[in-house]
Structures are given as structure tokens and as C-alpha cells.
Amino acid sequence: MQNKKIVFIAIISIVVVFIAGAYIYKQNESASYNAMLEQKASNLQKEHSIVLGKKEAKVQLVEFFDPACGTCAQFHPYVKKIMKENEGDIKLVLRYAPFHENSDFAVRVLEASRKQDKFMDTLEFMFATQKYWIEHHVVNPKMLWKILPKAGLDMEKLSADIENDSQKVTDIINQDLNDAKELGATKTPSYFVNGKPLETFGLDNLMNLIKSEL
């Protein structure tokens, strides 16, 4: 009788240890998963990121772009249209991925234009005039600088801000490129909708992915 009691207690102890172990494992798995989600959220949007739309929008559309990217320029009007048609429901997060040679100069111009509240005006001007300042997929800084006054920028202030914020913008570019690498964004434009990557590139696919999250 005593032996049966000992066996019973041993079995109960094993069950308790198993349940406790399973609970701890589950908690650790949950904590690890939550940490992964937090890291991915951080990779998608940083404090320095350009954000258009309501902060609490249902859909977060993240775009890694290059000012010298022709496809980025082609897709921009469609992204604007999607944003307008779903005003209040989508926020657009713009991240830099200057893969083209010398494209970091265009990014520096864009960051400086933010201080004149002309970021989007300057970006759209760049997209519209790419043929004048890009030669064989390489950015020509001198040609871009030559036409920038037509974007309505204060060139003296722009020049000073580019120089003064040189290291800051370098850090921003490096951070965005690191996040792009972590997320697997190897070309531009690369889109993420509520953290989900646009795996097969195309306008219809992008619109369908956005609709699935609205």
C-alpha cells in the first residue's frame, strides 16, 4: 500500500513538473514571438521616418524607395491615389534604400528639404525630372543641383542644411539600409502592408494586399 502511495505521488510530481515546464516553455515562446514582432515593427518604421496619413490608421504601408529609381517614380502616382481613396485608413511610411550610385546625394537633398516643409514637393520634382539628373542609372549631383531651384527651394539654406546634417543623414541612410536588409528588401520599391511583404511585385498585387488588410 505504501509503495502504491509512493508511485502515485511520483506520478503526480512528474505531471506537475511537465505542466510547469510546458507553461514556462509556452511563456518563453510567447515572449520570444512578441520580441520578434517588436523588432520587426522597429525595422519597418523609425522615429526619423517620413509618415503620411493618420498615426492610428488601420493599414501601415511601408515603402523602401530610391529617389533615382524609375519604378518608384512610376508607382508614386498610384500610391498617392490609393492613399486618397482610403484617406484616414492608410498611413504611408517612406524609408530610404539608395541603391543607385550617388543616390545618397538625392537623399541628402530630400532630408534638407524637410526643413523647408518641401519634402513631398521635392520628391515629386525629382521623380518627374529623373531623365535630367540620372545617366545610365547613376545620379549626377551637379545636374540635380542645377535644376533644384525649379522645385521652389531656398538653395542657400538647402546647401547649409546638407552640410550641417551630413553625419545625421548618413546615420539615417545606414539605418534604413540595415532595416531593409533585415526585412529582405533588396530592390526598390519594396512594400510592406501591416508587416506583410509584397512577395510578387505588381500594382494589382499591391492593391489586393492592401484591401486584405482594410
Side-chain angles (χ1 to χ4, degrees), residues 109-133:
V109 169
L110 284 172
E111 281 298 303
S113 74
R114 290 176 73 170
K115 294 194 171 184
Q116 299 184 36
D117 294 323
K118 288 185 175 292
F119 178 90
M120 288 307 299
D121 290 339
T122 304
L123 176 59
E124 291 181 355
F125 176 80
M126 285 184 177
F127 281 158
T129 60
Q130 284 179 342
K131 65 181 180 180
Y132 297 109
W133 54 276

PDB file of all heavy atoms in Angstrom, residues 109-133:
ATOM      1  N   VAL A 109      19.474  65.765 -50.172  1.00  0.00           N
ATOM      2  CA  VAL A 109      18.645  66.887 -50.625  1.00  0.00           C
ATOM      3  C   VAL A 109      17.238  66.771 -50.039  1.00  0.00           C
ATOM      4  O   VAL A 109      16.671  67.755 -49.548  1.00  0.00           O
ATOM      5  CB  VAL A 109      18.576  66.938 -52.169  1.00  0.00           C
ATOM      6  CG1 VAL A 109      17.510  67.934 -52.627  1.00  0.00           C
ATOM      7  CG2 VAL A 109      19.931  67.314 -52.755  1.00  0.00           C
ATOM      8  N   LEU A 110      16.685  65.577 -50.089  1.00  0.00           N
ATOM      9  CA  LEU A 110      15.336  65.368 -49.560  1.00  0.00           C
ATOM     10  C   LEU A 110      15.270  65.670 -48.067  1.00  0.00           C
ATOM     11  O   LEU A 110      14.324  66.327 -47.594  1.00  0.00           O
ATOM     12  CB  LEU A 110      14.893  63.923 -49.811  1.00  0.00           C
ATOM     13  CG  LEU A 110      14.480  63.585 -51.238  1.00  0.00           C
ATOM     14  CD1 LEU A 110      14.263  62.079 -51.385  1.00  0.00           C
ATOM     15  CD2 LEU A 110      13.204  64.340 -51.623  1.00  0.00           C
ATOM     16  N   GLU A 111      16.265  65.207 -47.318  1.00  0.00           N
ATOM     17  CA  GLU A 111      16.272  65.460 -45.879  1.00  0.00           C
ATOM     18  C   GLU A 111      16.405  66.953 -45.587  1.00  0.00           C
ATOM     19  O   GLU A 111      15.765  67.472 -44.667  1.00  0.00           O
ATOM     20  CB  GLU A 111      17.412  64.679 -45.207  1.00  0.00           C
ATOM     21  CG  GLU A 111      17.088  63.220 -44.985  1.00  0.00           C
ATOM     22  CD  GLU A 111      15.906  63.025 -44.051  1.00  0.00           C
ATOM     23  OE1 GLU A 111      15.952  63.512 -42.910  1.00  0.00           O
ATOM     24  OE2 GLU A 111      14.919  62.391 -44.470  1.00  0.00           O
ATOM     25  N   ALA A 112      17.198  67.647 -46.375  1.00  0.00           N
ATOM     26  CA  ALA A 112      17.338  69.094 -46.193  1.00  0.00           C
ATOM     27  C   ALA A 112      16.044  69.816 -46.566  1.00  0.00           C
ATOM     28  O   ALA A 112      15.672  70.822 -45.948  1.00  0.00           O
ATOM     29  CB  ALA A 112      18.512  69.617 -47.019  1.00  0.00           C
ATOM     30  N   SER A 113      15.347  69.290 -47.566  1.00  0.00           N
ATOM     31  CA  SER A 113      14.095  69.924 -47.995  1.00  0.00           C
ATOM     32  C   SER A 113      13.002  69.809 -46.923  1.00  0.00           C
ATOM     33  O   SER A 113      12.068  70.611 -46.899  1.00  0.00           O
ATOM     34  CB  SER A 113      13.600  69.296 -49.300  1.00  0.00           C
ATOM     35  OG  SER A 113      13.057  68.004 -49.088  1.00  0.00           O
ATOM     36  N   ARG A 114      13.141  68.827 -46.034  1.00  0.00           N
ATOM     37  CA  ARG A 114      12.179  68.680 -44.934  1.00  0.00           C
ATOM     38  C   ARG A 114      12.168  69.935 -44.065  1.00  0.00           C
ATOM     39  O   ARG A 114      11.134  70.310 -43.512  1.00  0.00           O
ATOM     40  CB  ARG A 114      12.528  67.472 -44.061  1.00  0.00           C
ATOM     41  CG  ARG A 114      12.309  66.146 -44.719  1.00  0.00           C
ATOM     42  CD  ARG A 114      12.758  64.977 -43.853  1.00  0.00           C
ATOM     43  NE  ARG A 114      11.860  64.721 -42.735  1.00  0.00           N
ATOM     44  CZ  ARG A 114      11.933  63.654 -41.960  1.00  0.00           C
ATOM     45  NH1 ARG A 114      12.874  62.741 -42.168  1.00  0.00           N
ATOM     46  NH2 ARG A 114      11.083  63.494 -40.965  1.00  0.00           N
ATOM     47  N   LYS A 115      13.322  70.569 -43.927  1.00  0.00           N
ATOM     48  CA  LYS A 115      13.431  71.761 -43.088  1.00  0.00           C
ATOM     49  C   LYS A 115      12.776  72.978 -43.732  1.00  0.00           C
ATOM     50  O   LYS A 115      12.624  74.014 -43.087  1.00  0.00           O
ATOM     51  CB  LYS A 115      14.903  72.045 -42.777  1.00  0.00           C
ATOM     52  CG  LYS A 115      15.538  70.958 -41.914  1.00  0.00           C
ATOM     53  CD  LYS A 115      16.867  71.401 -41.348  1.00  0.00           C
ATOM     54  CE  LYS A 115      17.356  70.394 -40.315  1.00  0.00           C
ATOM     55  NZ  LYS A 115      18.618  70.831 -39.672  1.00  0.00           N
ATOM     56  N   GLN A 116      12.401  72.833 -44.994  1.00  0.00           N
ATOM     57  CA  GLN A 116      11.651  73.887 -45.682  1.00  0.00           C
ATOM     58  C   GLN A 116      10.211  73.449 -45.928  1.00  0.00           C
ATOM     59  O   GLN A 116       9.482  74.092 -46.679  1.00  0.00           O
ATOM     60  CB  GLN A 116      12.339  74.226 -47.010  1.00  0.00           C
ATOM     61  CG  GLN A 116      13.764  74.739 -46.854  1.00  0.00           C
ATOM     62  CD  GLN A 116      14.400  75.158 -48.177  1.00  0.00           C
ATOM     63  OE1 GLN A 116      13.726  75.702 -49.057  1.00  0.00           O
ATOM     64  NE2 GLN A 116      15.702  74.898 -48.315  1.00  0.00           N
ATOM     65  N   ASP A 117       9.818  72.341 -45.283  1.00  0.00           N
ATOM     66  CA  ASP A 117       8.472  71.768 -45.454  1.00  0.00           C
ATOM     67  C   ASP A 117       8.167  71.490 -46.919  1.00  0.00           C
ATOM     68  O   ASP A 117       7.053  71.698 -47.398  1.00  0.00           O
ATOM     69  CB  ASP A 117       7.398  72.703 -44.862  1.00  0.00           C
ATOM     70  CG  ASP A 117       7.508  72.831 -43.354  1.00  0.00           C
ATOM     71  OD1 ASP A 117       7.827  71.826 -42.697  1.00  0.00           O
ATOM     72  OD2 ASP A 117       7.291  73.939 -42.841  1.00  0.00           O
ATOM     73  N   LYS A 118       9.173  71.014 -47.640  1.00  0.00           N
ATOM     74  CA  LYS A 118       9.004  70.753 -49.070  1.00  0.00           C
ATOM     75  C   LYS A 118       9.454  69.338 -49.451  1.00  0.00           C
ATOM     76  O   LYS A 118       9.877  69.103 -50.583  1.00  0.00           O
ATOM     77  CB  LYS A 118       9.780  71.797 -49.890  1.00  0.00           C
ATOM     78  CG  LYS A 118       9.148  73.182 -49.879  1.00  0.00           C
ATOM     79  CD  LYS A 118       9.886  74.133 -50.797  1.00  0.00           C
ATOM     80  CE  LYS A 118       9.182  75.482 -50.888  1.00  0.00           C
ATOM     81  NZ  LYS A 118       7.887  75.377 -51.581  1.00  0.00           N
ATOM     82  N   PHE A 119       9.363  68.414 -48.514  1.00  0.00           N
ATOM     83  CA  PHE A 119       9.832  67.061 -48.803  1.00  0.00           C
ATOM     84  C   PHE A 119       9.083  66.441 -49.978  1.00  0.00           C
ATOM     85  O   PHE A 119       9.696  66.002 -50.956  1.00  0.00           O
ATOM     86  CB  PHE A 119       9.689  66.159 -47.572  1.00  0.00           C
ATOM     87  CG  PHE A 119      10.104  64.735 -47.829  1.00  0.00           C
ATOM     88  CD1 PHE A 119      11.413  64.343 -47.617  1.00  0.00           C
ATOM     89  CD2 PHE A 119       9.200  63.789 -48.306  1.00  0.00           C
ATOM     90  CE1 PHE A 119      11.817  63.021 -47.872  1.00  0.00           C
ATOM     91  CE2 PHE A 119       9.589  62.474 -48.557  1.00  0.00           C
ATOM     92  CZ  PHE A 119      10.902  62.100 -48.340  1.00  0.00           C
ATOM     93  N   MET A 120       7.763  66.378 -49.905  1.00  0.00           N
ATOM     94  CA  MET A 120       6.987  65.726 -50.957  1.00  0.00           C
ATOM     95  C   MET A 120       7.079  66.486 -52.268  1.00  0.00           C
ATOM     96  O   MET A 120       7.154  65.873 -53.336  1.00  0.00           O
ATOM     97  CB  MET A 120       5.523  65.568 -50.529  1.00  0.00           C
ATOM     98  CG  MET A 120       5.292  64.515 -49.470  1.00  0.00           C
ATOM     99  SD  MET A 120       5.988  62.880 -49.892  1.00  0.00           S
ATOM    100  CE  MET A 120       5.097  62.482 -51.400  1.00  0.00           C
ATOM    101  N   ASP A 121       7.103  67.819 -52.199  1.00  0.00           N
ATOM    102  CA  ASP A 121       7.253  68.622 -53.418  1.00  0.00           C
ATOM    103  C   ASP A 121       8.585  68.301 -54.100  1.00  0.00           C
ATOM    104  O   ASP A 121       8.653  68.152 -55.333  1.00  0.00           O
ATOM    105  CB  ASP A 121       7.209  70.120 -53.086  1.00  0.00           C
ATOM    106  CG  ASP A 121       5.823  70.576 -52.661  1.00  0.00           C
ATOM    107  OD1 ASP A 121       4.853  69.874 -52.989  1.00  0.00           O
ATOM    108  OD2 ASP A 121       5.721  71.616 -51.991  1.00  0.00           O
ATOM    109  N   THR A 122       9.630  68.191 -53.285  1.00  0.00           N
ATOM    110  CA  THR A 122      10.959  67.917 -53.829  1.00  0.00           C
ATOM    111  C   THR A 122      11.044  66.494 -54.365  1.00  0.00           C
ATOM    112  O   THR A 122      11.624  66.259 -55.441  1.00  0.00           O
ATOM    113  CB  THR A 122      12.031  68.133 -52.747  1.00  0.00           C
ATOM    114  OG1 THR A 122      11.922  69.459 -52.222  1.00  0.00           O
ATOM    115  CG2 THR A 122      13.431  67.937 -53.317  1.00  0.00           C
ATOM    116  N   LEU A 123      10.468  65.545 -53.638  1.00  0.00           N
ATOM    117  CA  LEU A 123      10.479  64.153 -54.104  1.00  0.00           C
ATOM    118  C   LEU A 123       9.749  64.024 -55.431  1.00  0.00           C
ATOM    119  O   LEU A 123      10.255  63.379 -56.373  1.00  0.00           O
ATOM    120  CB  LEU A 123       9.821  63.245 -53.053  1.00  0.00           C
ATOM    121  CG  LEU A 123       9.686  61.768 -53.441  1.00  0.00           C
ATOM    122  CD1 LEU A 123      11.048  61.152 -53.737  1.00  0.00           C
ATOM    123  CD2 LEU A 123       8.968  60.987 -52.352  1.00  0.00           C
ATOM    124  N   GLU A 124       8.594  64.630 -55.537  1.00  0.00           N
ATOM    125  CA  GLU A 124       7.822  64.535 -56.780  1.00  0.00           C
ATOM    126  C   GLU A 124       8.531  65.258 -57.923  1.00  0.00           C
ATOM    127  O   GLU A 124       8.463  64.828 -59.076  1.00  0.00           O
ATOM    128  CB  GLU A 124       6.413  65.074 -56.554  1.00  0.00           C
ATOM    129  CG  GLU A 124       5.605  64.151 -55.637  1.00  0.00           C
ATOM    130  CD  GLU A 124       4.186  64.637 -55.403  1.00  0.00           C
ATOM    131  OE1 GLU A 124       3.840  65.741 -55.869  1.00  0.00           O
ATOM    132  OE2 GLU A 124       3.414  63.897 -54.750  1.00  0.00           O
ATOM    133  N   PHE A 125       9.221  66.347 -57.597  1.00  0.00           N
ATOM    134  CA  PHE A 125      10.016  67.048 -58.604  1.00  0.00           C
ATOM    135  C   PHE A 125      11.141  66.138 -59.099  1.00  0.00           C
ATOM    136  O   PHE A 125      11.408  66.050 -60.304  1.00  0.00           O
ATOM    137  CB  PHE A 125      10.598  68.340 -58.015  1.00  0.00           C
ATOM    138  CG  PHE A 125      11.514  69.088 -58.954  1.00  0.00           C
ATOM    139  CD1 PHE A 125      10.996  69.898 -59.959  1.00  0.00           C
ATOM    140  CD2 PHE A 125      12.899  68.955 -58.843  1.00  0.00           C
ATOM    141  CE1 PHE A 125      11.837  70.573 -60.835  1.00  0.00           C
ATOM    142  CE2 PHE A 125      13.737  69.624 -59.707  1.00  0.00           C
ATOM    143  CZ  PHE A 125      13.215  70.433 -60.714  1.00  0.00           C
ATOM    144  N   MET A 126      11.793  65.451 -58.171  1.00  0.00           N
ATOM    145  CA  MET A 126      12.866  64.531 -58.550  1.00  0.00           C
ATOM    146  C   MET A 126      12.342  63.409 -59.441  1.00  0.00           C
ATOM    147  O   MET A 126      12.957  63.076 -60.463  1.00  0.00           O
ATOM    148  CB  MET A 126      13.503  63.921 -57.290  1.00  0.00           C
ATOM    149  CG  MET A 126      14.412  64.844 -56.522  1.00  0.00           C
ATOM    150  SD  MET A 126      15.175  63.947 -55.139  1.00  0.00           S
ATOM    151  CE  MET A 126      16.238  65.215 -54.463  1.00  0.00           C
ATOM    152  N   PHE A 127      11.223  62.833 -59.044  1.00  0.00           N
ATOM    153  CA  PHE A 127      10.639  61.754 -59.844  1.00  0.00           C
ATOM    154  C   PHE A 127      10.315  62.233 -61.263  1.00  0.00           C
ATOM    155  O   PHE A 127      10.539  61.513 -62.240  1.00  0.00           O
ATOM    156  CB  PHE A 127       9.373  61.231 -59.180  1.00  0.00           C
ATOM    157  CG  PHE A 127       9.609  60.279 -58.039  1.00  0.00           C
ATOM    158  CD1 PHE A 127       8.630  60.069 -57.072  1.00  0.00           C
ATOM    159  CD2 PHE A 127      10.795  59.576 -57.921  1.00  0.00           C
ATOM    160  CE1 PHE A 127       8.830  59.185 -56.022  1.00  0.00           C
ATOM    161  CE2 PHE A 127      11.008  58.681 -56.876  1.00  0.00           C
ATOM    162  CZ  PHE A 127      10.027  58.487 -55.920  1.00  0.00           C
ATOM    163  N   ALA A 128       9.802  63.448 -61.361  1.00  0.00           N
ATOM    164  CA  ALA A 128       9.376  63.978 -62.661  1.00  0.00           C
ATOM    165  C   ALA A 128      10.549  64.369 -63.554  1.00  0.00           C
ATOM    166  O   ALA A 128      10.393  64.467 -64.781  1.00  0.00           O
ATOM    167  CB  ALA A 128       8.458  65.177 -62.453  1.00  0.00           C
ATOM    168  N   THR A 129      11.714  64.591 -62.946  1.00  0.00           N
ATOM    169  CA  THR A 129      12.863  65.089 -63.721  1.00  0.00           C
ATOM    170  C   THR A 129      14.037  64.115 -63.757  1.00  0.00           C
ATOM    171  O   THR A 129      15.164  64.507 -64.096  1.00  0.00           O
ATOM    172  CB  THR A 129      13.358  66.432 -63.132  1.00  0.00           C
ATOM    173  OG1 THR A 129      13.753  66.231 -61.762  1.00  0.00           O
ATOM    174  CG2 THR A 129      12.273  67.498 -63.208  1.00  0.00           C
ATOM    175  N   GLN A 130      13.802  62.867 -63.447  1.00  0.00           N
ATOM    176  CA  GLN A 130      14.895  61.896 -63.375  1.00  0.00           C
ATOM    177  C   GLN A 130      15.773  61.862 -64.631  1.00  0.00           C
ATOM    178  O   GLN A 130      16.999  61.706 -64.536  1.00  0.00           O
ATOM    179  CB  GLN A 130      14.336  60.495 -63.108  1.00  0.00           C
ATOM    180  CG  GLN A 130      13.894  60.260 -61.676  1.00  0.00           C
ATOM    181  CD  GLN A 130      13.323  58.855 -61.481  1.00  0.00           C
ATOM    182  OE1 GLN A 130      12.960  58.176 -62.448  1.00  0.00           O
ATOM    183  NE2 GLN A 130      13.234  58.404 -60.247  1.00  0.00           N
ATOM    184  N   LYS A 131      15.150  62.041 -65.774  1.00  0.00           N
ATOM    185  CA  LYS A 131      15.914  61.943 -67.031  1.00  0.00           C
ATOM    186  C   LYS A 131      16.985  63.027 -67.155  1.00  0.00           C
ATOM    187  O   LYS A 131      17.921  62.891 -67.955  1.00  0.00           O
ATOM    188  CB  LYS A 131      14.978  61.998 -68.232  1.00  0.00           C
ATOM    189  CG  LYS A 131      14.240  63.313 -68.388  1.00  0.00           C
ATOM    190  CD  LYS A 131      13.321  63.250 -69.604  1.00  0.00           C
ATOM    191  CE  LYS A 131      12.563  64.563 -69.792  1.00  0.00           C
ATOM    192  NZ  LYS A 131      11.665  64.514 -70.984  1.00  0.00           N
ATOM    193  N   TYR A 132      16.852  64.089 -66.357  1.00  0.00           N
ATOM    194  CA  TYR A 132      17.812  65.194 -66.442  1.00  0.00           C
ATOM    195  C   TYR A 132      19.008  65.020 -65.505  1.00  0.00           C
ATOM    196  O   TYR A 132      20.044  65.651 -65.714  1.00  0.00           O
ATOM    197  CB  TYR A 132      17.126  66.530 -66.136  1.00  0.00           C
ATOM    198  CG  TYR A 132      16.041  66.888 -67.119  1.00  0.00           C
ATOM    199  CD1 TYR A 132      14.702  66.839 -66.739  1.00  0.00           C
ATOM    200  CD2 TYR A 132      16.337  67.256 -68.429  1.00  0.00           C
ATOM    201  CE1 TYR A 132      13.691  67.160 -67.632  1.00  0.00           C
ATOM    202  CE2 TYR A 132      15.335  67.566 -69.337  1.00  0.00           C
ATOM    203  CZ  TYR A 132      14.009  67.514 -68.929  1.00  0.00           C
ATOM    204  OH  TYR A 132      13.010  67.824 -69.826  1.00  0.00           O
ATOM    205  N   TRP A 133      18.862  64.223 -64.466  1.00  0.00           N
ATOM    206  CA  TRP A 133      19.953  64.116 -63.484  1.00  0.00           C
ATOM    207  C   TRP A 133      20.425  62.678 -63.213  1.00  0.00           C
ATOM    208  O   TRP A 133      21.248  62.450 -62.327  1.00  0.00           O
ATOM    209  CB  TRP A 133      19.568  64.798 -62.172  1.00  0.00           C
ATOM    210  CG  TRP A 133      18.271  64.347 -61.541  1.00  0.00           C
ATOM    211  CD1 TRP A 133      17.022  64.808 -61.850  1.00  0.00           C
ATOM    212  CD2 TRP A 133      18.101  63.366 -60.522  1.00  0.00           C
ATOM    213  NE1 TRP A 133      16.073  64.170 -61.081  1.00  0.00           N
ATOM    214  CE2 TRP A 133      16.708  63.299 -60.245  1.00  0.00           C
ATOM    215  CE3 TRP A 133      18.973  62.556 -59.803  1.00  0.00           C
ATOM    216  CZ2 TRP A 133      16.185  62.424 -59.295  1.00  0.00           C
ATOM    217  CZ3 TRP A 133      18.447  61.693 -58.849  1.00  0.00           C
ATOM    218  CH2 TRP A 133      17.080  61.635 -58.602  1.00  0.00           C
TER     219      TRP A 133
END
